[in-house]
Amino acid sequence: MMDFNSTSSISGQITALVDAGMQRARAQQSERQYLGASRLGAACERALQFEYAKAPVDHGRDTPGRMLRIFERGHVMEDCMVAWLRDAGFDLRTRRADGEQFGFSVADGRLQGHIDGVIVDGPEGFAYPALWENKCLGMKSWRELEKNRLAVAKPVYAAQVAIYQAYLELHEHPAIFTALNADTMEIYTEAVPFDAALAQRMSDRAVKVITATESAELLPRAFNDPTHFECRMCAWQDRCWRTQA
């Protein structure tokens, strides 16, 4: 029950109400019944199993309202980038003729992915058609991306790009990856050539995760210490480390 006593700040009250509303809206959304291709580059295959199996998260590990607002910011900024790129002369398609997102579904629908868009034409100096993926990042992550480029700074995103290029047959030309700095509104852009080896590893990983999960086989953890920062951030940390495997 929310505490609206006299010591509660108006910021706290509004935040609590907004968080509760966002959590209710999230709870009403239907869960996806497949392994999402955008997550295949995650460090831990066991965590991917928990995601795929829809395992309940640990008590108190539900996505907090602040993170839901960050996710929403990403959607809003993606819409901004779409408009800006189109105004810049790029023929960017984000929806099919029926209004649905471009994407793919394989393994009887057990592995699916949905892309931000395809750039089919535009200014000179770029090759078309090209997969387009966009992210909105905080300052630290954006600077790391600018310094080290996608494959090193954000391997999960790199894996996402590669498998999308493969399954949607957009591998002939480099993907156009954009990232918006949420603090400064700077735009980072990288042309990402198709990495066939990475795409194959991610496809093989999807098969491994799906097969193991459906066979009730628990894959090894990626880390040997529950205090590792990725374990601490995992929504299934307690569930995972209660097991002996």
Side-chain angles (χ1 to χ4, degrees):
M1 188 171 183
M2 295 183 187
D3 178 15
F4 288 146
N5 60 46
S6 59
T7 62
S8 297
S9 70
I10 187 171
S11 293
Q13 293 175 20
I14 293 296
T15 298
L17 289 167
V18 168
D19 286 356
M22 295 190 76
Q23 292 284 7
R24 285 194 299 270
R26 182 181 177 87
Q28 292 170 2
Q29 296 174 357
S30 58
E31 289 188 334
R32 63 185 185 187
Q33 304 301 314
Y34 57 85
L35 179 61
S38 64
R39 294 285 299 140
L40 284 176
C44 185
E45 292 177 349
R46 183 180 291 190
L48 287 175
Q49 284 191 281
F50 290 145
E51 285 189 34
Y52 177 58
K54 305 296 178 292
V57 302
D58 297 342
H59 178 70
R61 293 291 188 100
D62 293 310
T63 307
R66 187 181 71 86
M67 288 304 302
L68 293 178
R69 293 195 293 278
I70 289 174
F71 296 157
E72 188 67 21
R73 179 188 67 184
H75 297 317
V76 172
M77 289 297 96
E78 181 181 319
D79 291 341
C80 289
M81 279 299 304
V82 169
W84 297 338
L85 287 171
R86 286 173 175 166
D87 288 345
F90 292 96
D91 186 352
L92 171 58
R93 314 287 177 87
T94 59
R95 298 279 173 176
R96 302 182 318 206
D98 61 3
E100 295 296 320
Q101 273 187 289
F102 292 109
F104 69 89
S105 176
V106 295
D108 296 323
R110 290 177 292 182
L111 173 64
Q112 296 184 34
H114 301 89
I115 68 173
D116 290 339
V118 181
I119 301 177
V120 300
D121 201 0
E124 293 183 4
F126 302 89
Y128 308 103
L131 172 75
W132 174 65
E133 282 296 316
N134 181 73
K135 304 296 178 185
C136 181
L137 302 174
M139 178 69 78
K140 182 179 178 181
S141 289
W142 195 91
R143 292 300 184 203
E144 183 183 3
L145 178 63
E146 184 182 43
K147 177 181 178 181
N148 296 315
R149 300 178 63 83
L150 184 66
V152 173
K154 296 294 178 185
V156 174
Y157 298 160
Q160 179 183 5
V161 167
I163 201 151
Y164 286 172
Q165 287 174 300
Y167 279 111
L168 287 160
E169 299 184 357
L170 290 168
H171 55 276
E172 183 177 353
H173 302 133
I176 297 176
F177 178 88
T178 55
L180 189 65
N181 187 319
D183 298 304
T184 66
M185 300 304 287
E186 294 172 271
I187 298 171
Y188 173 85
T189 305
E190 183 176 336
V192 186
F194 177 53
D195 186 337
L198 177 58
Q200 187 63 61
R201 289 199 303 273
M202 292 302 101
S203 182
D204 293 344
R205 181 180 237 203
V207 172
K208 181 181 180 181
V209 168
I210 291 170
T211 302
T213 305
E214 295 181 352
S215 300
E217 173 193 352
L218 200 58
L219 294 172
R221 305 181 186 96
F223 310 103
N224 297 320
D225 186 346
T227 64
H228 186 279
F229 80 95
E230 292 208 38
C231 287
R232 294 201 311 269
M233 297 295 291
C234 180
W236 299 278
Q237 181 192 35
D238 295 340
R239 172 189 293 272
C240 177
W241 286 94
R242 281 199 304 268
T243 67
Q244 297 302 311

